[in-house]
Amino acid sequence: MIKKVFSATLFIFSTITYSFSQNQEQERWVDSVFNVLDLEQRIGQLFMMPVYSGGNEKHFQIVERQIEKNHIGGLIFMQGSPTRQIDLTNRFQTSSSVPLLIAMDMEWGAGMRLDSTINFPKQMALGAIENDSLVYAMGAEIAREMKILGVHMNFAPVADINTNPENLVIGVRSFGSNKKQVTSKAIAYMKGLQENGVLSCAKHFPGHGDTRQDSHLTLPLIDHNKKRLDTLELYPFKKLIYAGTSAIMTAHVQIPAIDSKKNTPATLSPKVIHDILRKELKYEGLIITDALNMKAVSDHYSNGEAELLALQAGNDILLFSENVPEAIKLIKKNLLKKKINKQQFEESVKRILRAKFKAGLNQWDSLNNENINLKLNRPGTELLKHKLVEKSITVLNNPDSLLPISTLDNKTFASLSIGPSGEFTKYLDKYAFFSHYVKEGGDNDLLYRQLRNYDVVVVGLFDLDKTQGINGVTQEMLQLFDRLNNETKLIFSLFDSPYNLKGLDRFDHLICAFDNSEHTQKLVPSAIFGGIATNGRIPVNISKNINFGQGADTPSLSRLTFSTPEGASMDSRVLQKIDDIAHEAITDKATPGCQVMVVRNGKIVFDKSYGYYTYDSIKPVDDYTIYDIASITKVLSTMQAVMFLEERGVIDLDKKISVYLPELRGTNKEHMIIRDILTHQAGLWPYLPFWKRTLEDSFLAGGLYKGYPESGFNYQVSEGLFTTEAMQDSVWQWVKNSKLRDKINKRPYDYKYSDMGYYLLKKMIEKMINQPMNEFLQQNFYDPMGLTTLSYLPLCNFPLSRIAPTERDDYFRNTLVYGMVHDQGAALCGGVAGHAGLFSSAIDLAKMMQMHLQDGTYGGVRFFQPGTIERFTQKQYETNRRGIGWDKPAVGDWNGPTSEFSSPKTFGHTGFTGTAVWADPEFNLIFVFLSNRIHPDANNSKLIKNNIRTRIQDVIYESIWSYEQRFDSY
C-alpha cells in the first residue's frame, strides 16, 4: 500500500515538474521572440488574413507581400485543395520571420473547405447523438487531418444555443437548443481537438443563437436582458472556459442590455469583451474576432477603424481585416498616443506567441504532401462518418410501432420523392419491392389516386425550398399528405434541417436524417426496415408537437444493412484488389460481366458490378441485374423445403426415398437413402441429356413442341418453343428409369456430383406439401424475407432488360437463352426444377445466406428451428466433403470450390452459369459472385481455369487479416 501511495505521489510530482518545465520553456521562447520584434512587427502578429488555396498566383503574391512587409501573424485557409494548401503553407512559412499561426473553419471536417476530402455531419446532427464519445472521436479525427495540413487551430466548436428556428447564420451549425446538451457536445468536440494537438476556438461569444438576421449581411440584434444572457447564452462558454478552450471567437451581434451604443457589435464592445469575458469570466486564452469584412461590421466602420476598436475592446487576433496596412498604421498611431493600453496590447501579442508555441511552431518543419488524399481520407475516417450518421438518425413519432417494418409479404410499398432523392429509392429497393413516384408540381389528384392503394408510402423530402410554405412544406404538399394519411400508412423521411419538420408535426411517422448525403440515403431505408436500430433525439424545439429530446428508439430486426469494410473489421484497401481480378476476368473474356458482394457481421461492405450483359459492351451490369443462378437452386430452393420438412418430422433423411415416393418401388432407386442422395453418394448418374431424347424421335418431337402457346402447350422452354404437360410425365419416367453408376467391388458408392437426385427430391417435396414447390417457397421464404428478385420464371415479374443472357444455344433451342433457365432439363420442366431454375440479384442471395448464418432467423421472423441449419451444413462423411445438400470446402485441394482460407464450417454452392454463394460462420462472412460466363458459349471455362471466384474469396480473407494487423476501430 505504501509503495502504491509513493508511486502515485511520484507520478503527480513528475507531472507537475514536467508541466512547470514546459511552461518555463514556453515563456523563454515567447519572450525571446517578443523581444526581437519591433512595434510594427508586434502589431502584425495580431492579424490573421485569408488565403484561398484555389486562387491564382496574383492572390498568393498579395498574401506573401503582407507576410513580408506587414509581418502578419497568421493565416486562415479557405476553399481550395489539400495539396495546394500544403504547398502554400510551406511557401508562406518560409517567407515569414515568425512562424505563422494557421487556422481554418473546419466545423464539419476538411470537406467544409477542401475538395477531395470528407464531410462529417453538421453539429445539429451530432446534437441528436446520445453518445458524446463519437463527437470526441470526430474532434480527434479532424485534429489529425489538420495536423497533416499544417493547420494549428480549428474555429470550432460552435457553442451557440440555437433557440431561434429562423436563425440564418447559425441554424444547423449549432448542436441544438438546450444549453446543457450544447455544452456537453461542445466540450467533447473541443477535447477531441485539443487532446490531439490542435487548438480549439469556441464561437460566437456571447451567443449568436437567437438571431433572425445574417451577420454576413447586417448587424443582428439580440434584445435579451443580462439575466437571460447569463443563464442561457453564456452558459456553454463558461463551461468551455473551465474545460480549457484555447480560444474564443466573438460575435457580430448587438446586445443593448450590455452595450447600448448604436451599431456596436459585441466584437467591438469593451463591455462585452473586456468587462464580461476577461474580467467577469476571467478568461485568459486567445480572443479572436469574427471576420471583420462581414457587413455587420464593415457597413459601419471605415478601413482600420474596426480593427482598432476590436483591439481596444480586448480582442487578440483580428480576423479577415479588409485593409491590413491601414489598420496597422492606425493601431500604431494610437499606441504611440497611448490611446491603446500598452500592457493589454503586449499581453495580446504574447498570447498569440504562446498559442504558436503550443502549436509546435517553435520547431516548425516543412510539410509533406505525398499521398495526401490517402492520408486525409483513410478508411477509418469514412467509418467514423458512417457511425455518426447512423447514430444521428432520429425517429420522432412512431405511436403504433410501425417502424421498423417487420412484415413484408402481402404488403405493397411505394415511395414519393420531393426534391433530389439521389440513391434513396435504390436503397429502399434493397429491402422490399417499391413503386417509385416523384412530385414535380403537377396533378395532386393523379398522385393521390396512384398512391392511395399502397399499404405503405415512404415520402422522402430533400433540400426543401425554405421560402415556401411552412419551412419548405407547402399547402399543396400538406393537402396531398392529409388525403393519403386517411388511406394508407405514411412514413416521412426528411433529408434536411429538422426545422422543416414543423409543417409535418401532425403526422405519425417522422424520420429526421438532418442532411441529404450518400450515407443518409443508405441508412434511412435501413432504419425503416430494421437493418439498424435508431436512438437519436431531436436536438431542438420545433413546434408544440415536436420538442427537444423527442425520439423513439427502434430496434434492429437483424436485416442486412450497409457499412464500410472497416465497420466489419475488414481492410477496404485490400478489398480493392477485387477490382483487378474482376477486370481481368472481363478483359480475358471469362465473362462479359459480374457482380461481387461481401457481407460481414450482417453488413454489406462491398457491392460492385463490373462489365456488361454481353461482350458488345452496350448495357452495363448494375445492382438491378438478375442472373440465372443454376445449381445454387439446389440449396436455396430444394434444400429450404427439405429442411422445412425434416425439422417438422414429415420426412426422415435416413429412410428410403421410396417410402415417400412409392412409385420408385421396383426401380433401381427403391432403396436409395435420402441422406445419400443429398450427399451425392447414392450412385445416381451425374447427368443425362433428356432433351436429346425429345429430338431424336421426330414423331415424338412433333407431339411435344409447338412454336407458340396453345391449349395443352403452356410450358415455355425458350423463345418460340413451348411444350406440353406430357413432357413432365416423360421426364419423370426417364428419371425413374435412369441408369446408375457401376459399383466397384460391390462397395458403397463414393461421392459423385449429380443433378438427378434433385428431380426425385422435387417430386417428393411437392407430394409432401401438396403444392408446387416454387409457390411454397415464395409464400414461406422469399416473400416474407423481402426477396424481390429470387424466384423461378423471372419474366413473370421483370422485364427482359434486367436479366443477363446466357448461352446462344444452336443445338436444342436454336436461340439466345435470355430470361429463361439455361439448364436444358429444367427448361423441359417449364423452368421450375429442383436442381436449376432460380434467378436472382446479389443482395437477395446475401439475405438468404444471412438468414442461415443467423440460425434460421431474418427480419424478426424465424424460418428454421435452432440447430437445423448447423446440422444440414455439417460435413456428413469422412470421405465426402459434402453437407446435407450443401457444398463444403475441399480440405487440402487447391482446386476446391472455396478459398483455402475458408473455415471448415463454410457452406454454400456454385452454379454452372458462373455463380457462387458461400457463408463462413467462423468469420460471420458471406461471399456472393454472379456472372454469365456461359454467354455466348457454355464451353467457356476461363472463369474456372483462372480461378477467378476463389481468388476473389482469397482477397476477402486477406482483408480480414490485414485489418487486424493495421487498423484500430473507433
Side-chain angles (χ1 to χ4, degrees):
M1 183 67 180
I2 293 171
K3 285 183 179 179
K4 287 183 179 179
V5 172
F6 177 76
S7 297
T9 304
L10 184 63
F11 173 76
I12 294 167
F13 178 76
S14 299
T15 304
I16 293 170
T17 303
Y18 174 76
S19 177
F20 178 73
S21 174
Q22 226 188 6
N23 284 339
Q24 280 188 318
E25 183 185 352
Q26 171 186 284
E27 291 308 304
R28 279 196 298 271
W29 185 83
V30 168
D31 288 340
S32 68
V33 175
F34 181 84
N35 290 334
V36 299
L37 298 178
D38 63 26
L39 182 58
E40 286 192 1
Q41 290 172 323
R42 291 174 184 177
I43 297 171
Q45 290 299 301
L46 306 175
F47 288 84
M48 183 175 279
M49 70 175 297
V51 183
Y52 295 83
S53 59
N56 56 28
E57 180 59 24
K58 183 178 179 181
H59 167 61
F60 304 148
Q61 288 175 3
I62 291 171
V63 174
E64 204 159 33
R65 281 198 299 273
Q66 294 280 22
I67 294 169
E68 293 172 350
K69 186 175 180 181
N70 293 309
H71 318 289
I72 62 169
L75 301 173
I76 172 174
F77 271 94
M78 307 298 283
Q79 284 78 5
S81 73
T83 302
R84 292 193 78 187
Q85 178 166 321
I86 287 175
D87 290 342
L88 288 168
T89 298
N90 287 334
R91 172 178 171 179
F92 296 145
Q93 289 285 21
T94 304
S95 300
S96 181
S97 57
V98 179
L100 297 160
L101 185 68
I102 308 296
M104 285 184 77
D105 268 319
M106 281 176 56
E107 294 169 23
W108 53 89
M112 180 175 174
R113 295 298 182 197
L114 302 177
D115 60 29
S116 66
T117 54
I118 291 174
N119 280 323
F120 289 114
K122 295 183 177 68
Q123 286 190 188
M124 193 161 285
L126 304 180
I129 298 173
E130 294 281 87
N131 188 351
D132 286 352
S133 66
L134 280 174
V135 180
Y136 176 94
M138 186 192 80
E141 172 57 26
I142 291 174
R144 186 192 71 86
E145 295 170 13
M146 298 186 97
K147 290 170 80 173
I148 292 170
L149 293 164
V151 181
H152 314 115
M153 177 180 288
N154 188 2
F155 290 151
V158 173
D160 302 311
I161 302 167
N162 203 78
T163 54
N164 192 330
E166 297 177 24
N167 195 330
L168 299 173
V169 70
I170 303 300
V172 295
R173 295 167 63 199
S174 165
F175 286 113
S177 62
N178 178 277
K179 68 179 184 181
K180 291 185 177 180
Q181 175 251 21
V182 168
T183 300
S184 67
K185 294 286 189 292
I187 289 174
Y189 188 176
M190 178 269 287
K191 287 186 174 180
L193 291 170
Q194 294 191 174
E195 290 177 8
N196 291 278
V198 166
L199 306 174
S200 72
C201 178
K203 60 187 186 184
H204 306 81
F205 185 87
H208 208 322
D210 192 7
T211 60
R212 285 183 174 83
Q213 299 88 12
D214 185 346
S215 50
H216 294 86
L217 307 174
T218 188
L219 179 59
L221 175 70
I222 294 182
D223 200 11
H224 295 304
N225 61 37
K226 180 65 167 62
K227 183 178 179 181
R228 148 70 191 251
L229 293 166
D230 192 56
T231 56
L232 186 67
E233 274 79 6
L234 290 178
Y235 183 88
F237 293 99
K238 292 177 183 178
K239 298 295 184 181
L240 282 158
I241 289 169
Y242 183 78
T245 185
S246 302
I248 289 177
M249 179 178 286
T250 58
H252 297 332
V253 293
Q254 186 170 10
I255 310 172
I258 298 175
D259 193 335
S260 59
K261 187 177 178 182
K262 187 177 180 182
N263 295 328
T264 302
T267 304
L268 309 185
S269 171
K271 293 181 179 179
V272 174
I273 309 304
H274 180 267
D275 295 354
I276 294 178
L277 188 51
R278 284 290 187 215
K279 290 183 68 178
E280 185 178 322
L281 301 183
K282 296 179 171 52
Y283 182 59
E284 292 298 327
L286 275 175
I287 301 177
I288 304 172
T289 71
D290 204 344
L292 294 171
N293 67 335
M294 293 164 64
K295 298 293 186 182
V297 173
S298 63
D299 276 357
H300 304 288
Y301 301 91
S302 59
N303 287 341
E305 188 180 4
E307 290 83 347
L308 172 63
L309 292 172
L311 182 60
Q312 289 174 327
N315 293 278
D316 301 311
I317 291 180
L318 310 174
L319 180 65
F320 239 114
S321 170
E322 287 196 307
N323 193 327
V324 173
E326 284 297 317
I328 290 176
K329 188 185 299 182
L330 191 58
I331 290 170
K332 182 179 179 181
K333 179 181 177 181
N334 279 270
L335 273 167
L336 294 173
K337 289 185 176 182
K338 299 184 180 180
K339 292 184 178 179
I340 297 175
N341 185 304
K342 181 182 178 184
Q343 182 182 350
Q344 178 186 316
F345 162 71
E346 291 182 351
E347 285 175 354
S348 289
V349 176
K350 288 185 176 182
R351 281 193 197 97
I352 294 165
L353 293 175
R354 286 190 192 101
K356 292 185 177 186
F357 182 89
K358 289 173 182 174
L361 284 168
N362 57 315
Q363 296 176 330
W364 180 79
D365 289 322
S366 63
L367 303 169
N368 186 338
N369 64 13
E370 291 179 6
N371 299 315
I372 187 62
N373 285 337
L374 286 176
K375 291 176 184 175
L376 290 173
N377 302 313
R378 67 174 185 169
T381 308
E382 190 66 30
L383 171 59
L384 176 58
K385 177 178 179 178
H386 182 94
K387 287 184 175 182
L388 290 164
V389 171
E390 180 178 327
K391 294 302 180 182
S392 71
I393 292 171
T394 302
V395 175
L396 283 103
N397 296 338
N398 191 28
D400 55 0
S401 298
L402 173 66
L403 297 170
I405 297 171
S406 56
T407 304
L408 301 181
D409 52 333
N410 302 316
K411 271 194 171 71
T412 54
F413 298 91
S415 76
L416 173 62
S417 295
I418 301 172
S421 61
E423 302 248 278
F424 178 60
T425 55
K426 170 183 165 182
Y427 282 92
L428 287 173
D429 287 335
K430 293 181 185 291
Y431 288 96
F433 184 84
F434 269 81
S435 299
H436 300 295
Y437 298 84
V438 177
K439 179 169 174 52
E440 298 175 317
D443 189 352
N444 259 0
D445 286 336
L446 177 59
L447 271 176
Y448 167 72
R449 290 195 301 272
Q450 290 170 325
L451 293 169
R452 62 179 292 190
N453 295 316
Y454 290 93
D455 295 307
V456 177
V457 177
V458 177
V459 181
L461 300 113
F462 308 86
D463 303 335
L464 296 177
D465 182 353
K466 296 162 188 62
T467 64
Q468 303 294 313
I470 306 172
N471 292 88
V473 180
T474 65
Q475 280 302 120
E476 184 194 20
M477 293 180 201
L478 287 171
Q479 288 169 5
L480 174 61
F481 299 156
D482 284 332
R483 293 175 71 189
L484 287 172
N485 201 40
N486 294 323
E487 304 284 345
T488 184
K489 294 285 188 182
L490 292 179
I491 299 171
F492 292 91
S493 301
L494 177 66
F495 297 83
D496 209 330
S497 163
Y499 292 113
N500 296 102
L501 290 166
K502 184 176 182 180
L504 303 170
D505 65 353
R506 62 179 177 267
F507 297 103
D508 282 343
H509 307 103
L510 304 178
I511 301 174
C512 185
F514 295 94
D515 70 4
N516 187 12
S517 70
E518 179 186 351
H519 284 78
T520 56
Q521 290 162 13
K522 282 184 180 182
L523 289 171
V524 169
S526 191
I528 291 172
F529 288 98
I532 59 170
T534 69
N535 58 7
R537 295 292 183 268
I538 205 74
V540 287
N541 291 311
I542 304 293
S543 67
K544 289 182 180 179
N545 296 328
I546 301 177
N547 298 296
F548 167 82
Q550 191 170 323
D553 290 354
T554 63
S556 165
L557 297 178
S558 297
R559 287 196 174 107
L560 290 179
T561 186
F562 302 88
S563 186
T564 67
E566 283 68 27
S569 301
M570 301 177 78
D571 188 338
S572 57
R573 296 178 186 178
V574 172
L575 286 178
Q576 288 173 6
K577 295 180 183 179
I578 294 173
D579 293 350
D580 294 333
I581 300 172
H583 291 312
E584 173 196 325
I586 293 164
T587 302
D588 198 35
K589 294 194 172 180
T591 179
C594 62
Q595 292 181 350
V596 179
M597 181 173 284
V598 180
V599 181
R600 193 173 189 214
N601 300 335
K603 300 169 183 175
I604 297 172
V605 299
F606 189 95
D607 181 12
K608 283 192 179 182
S609 301
Y610 304 88
Y612 297 83
Y613 279 50
T614 58
Y615 288 112
D616 57 18
S617 301
I618 294 174
K619 183 175 176 57
V621 173
D622 60 24
D623 291 358
Y624 291 94
T625 305
I626 297 170
Y627 285 89
D628 179 340
I629 62 173
S631 285
I632 294 176
T633 302
K634 293 181 174 72
V635 292
L636 296 189
S637 171
T638 302
M639 285 313 304
Q640 304 306 301
V642 168
M643 291 190 291
F644 179 93
L645 294 172
E646 189 272 347
E647 69 175 15
R648 287 164 175 77
V650 178
I651 61 172
D652 185 336
L653 300 184
D654 294 310
K655 287 187 176 179
K656 299 173 182 177
I657 194 168
S658 57
V659 171
Y660 308 104
L661 292 176
E663 55 265 52
L664 293 178
R665 293 171 186 167
T667 71
N668 57 5
K669 297 163 187 67
E670 177 180 0
H671 300 294
M672 284 184 178
I673 304 300
I674 296 174
R675 190 183 299 273
D676 288 339
I677 295 171
L678 287 166
T679 51
H680 299 274
Q681 58 181 41
L684 290 162
W685 201 257
Y687 167 73
L688 289 170
F690 297 135
W691 62 272
K692 285 187 177 180
R693 292 196 183 190
T694 68
L695 301 182
E696 287 167 354
D697 186 325
S698 59
F699 176 78
L700 184 63
L704 290 176
Y705 295 114
K706 293 285 185 183
Y708 46 86
E710 60 178 58
S711 179
F713 288 82
N714 298 317
Y715 293 86
Q716 188 170 12
V717 177
S718 67
E719 185 179 2
L721 192 63
F722 295 81
T723 190
T724 177
E725 182 78 35
M727 178 69 81
Q728 315 307 305
D729 295 332
S730 298
V731 170
W732 175 239
Q733 293 304 316
W734 294 334
V735 170
K736 278 174 55 180
N737 299 321
S738 62
K739 60 184 177 180
L740 301 182
R741 295 162 51 214
D742 294 332
K743 282 190 175 183
I744 301 174
N745 298 326
K746 297 186 178 180
R747 288 184 295 181
Y749 284 111
D750 60 355
Y751 163 67
K752 188 75 172 180
Y753 183 77
S754 172
D755 284 347
M756 303 304 296
Y758 284 83
Y759 289 94
L760 303 173
L761 293 167
K762 176 175 179 287
K763 190 78 169 178
M764 177 191 73
I765 290 164
E766 293 188 334
K767 183 172 182 179
M768 295 298 102
I769 62 177
N770 194 32
Q771 184 182 16
M773 187 169 71
N774 58 316
E775 293 179 9
F776 168 80
L777 292 165
Q778 205 72 45
Q779 293 167 8
N780 289 278
F781 293 93
Y782 305 159
D783 286 346
M785 288 181 66
L787 310 183
T788 59
T789 61
L790 184 65
S791 67
Y792 289 96
L793 308 174
L795 290 179
C796 293
N797 299 302
F798 303 102
L800 187 63
S801 59
R802 280 192 64 180
I803 304 168
T806 52
E807 184 184 15
R808 185 167 293 283
D809 179 353
D810 58 4
Y811 50 86
F812 171 34
R813 288 159 283 195
N814 297 306
T815 188
L816 174 65
V817 181
Y818 200 172
M820 282 165 276
V821 63
H822 171 263
D823 183 271
Q824 300 90 349
L828 294 179
C829 297
V832 180
H835 66 288
L838 275 184
F839 286 71
S840 185
S841 63
I843 193 167
D844 282 353
L845 297 183
K847 290 177 187 177
M848 280 294 283
M849 299 305 284
Q850 186 65 32
M851 180 266 281
H852 289 72
L853 280 182
Q854 292 172 180
D855 197 24
T857 65
Y858 191 80
V861 178
R862 177 160 286 285
F863 294 92
F864 292 109
Q865 296 172 11
T868 294
I869 290 168
E870 186 178 3
R871 284 190 294 108
F872 272 77
T873 57
Q874 287 176 347
K875 183 177 176 180
Q876 300 297 299
Y877 301 102
E878 189 61 37
T879 57
N880 181 343
R881 75 169 190 253
R882 290 272 172 169
I884 304 173
W886 294 90
D887 201 359
K888 302 279 291 174
V891 179
D893 183 358
W894 70 271
N895 200 30
T898 67
S899 166
E900 62 179 315
F901 307 120
S902 59
S903 80
K905 294 181 180 179
T906 299
F907 59 92
H909 217 282
T910 56
F912 180 77
T913 50
T915 57
V917 291
W918 293 103
D920 188 339
E922 190 75 27
F923 294 93
N924 204 5
L925 181 68
I926 295 168
F927 166 48
V928 178
F929 183 92
L930 295 180
S931 77
N932 55 336
R933 64 109 189 157
I934 61 172
H935 175 80
D937 182 0
N939 294 318
N940 179 7
S941 60
K942 290 179 181 178
L943 193 78
I944 300 162
K945 287 180 179 177
N946 296 340
N947 227 13
I948 297 297
R949 292 172 290 188
T950 307
R951 285 163 57 200
I952 290 175
Q953 202 174 11
D954 287 344
V955 168
I956 294 167
Y957 284 100
E958 182 189 345
S959 76
I960 296 173
W961 299 322
S962 177
Y963 178 88
E964 292 172 354
Q965 294 168 9
R966 293 177 57 191
F967 292 111
D968 292 321
S969 61
Y970 283 99

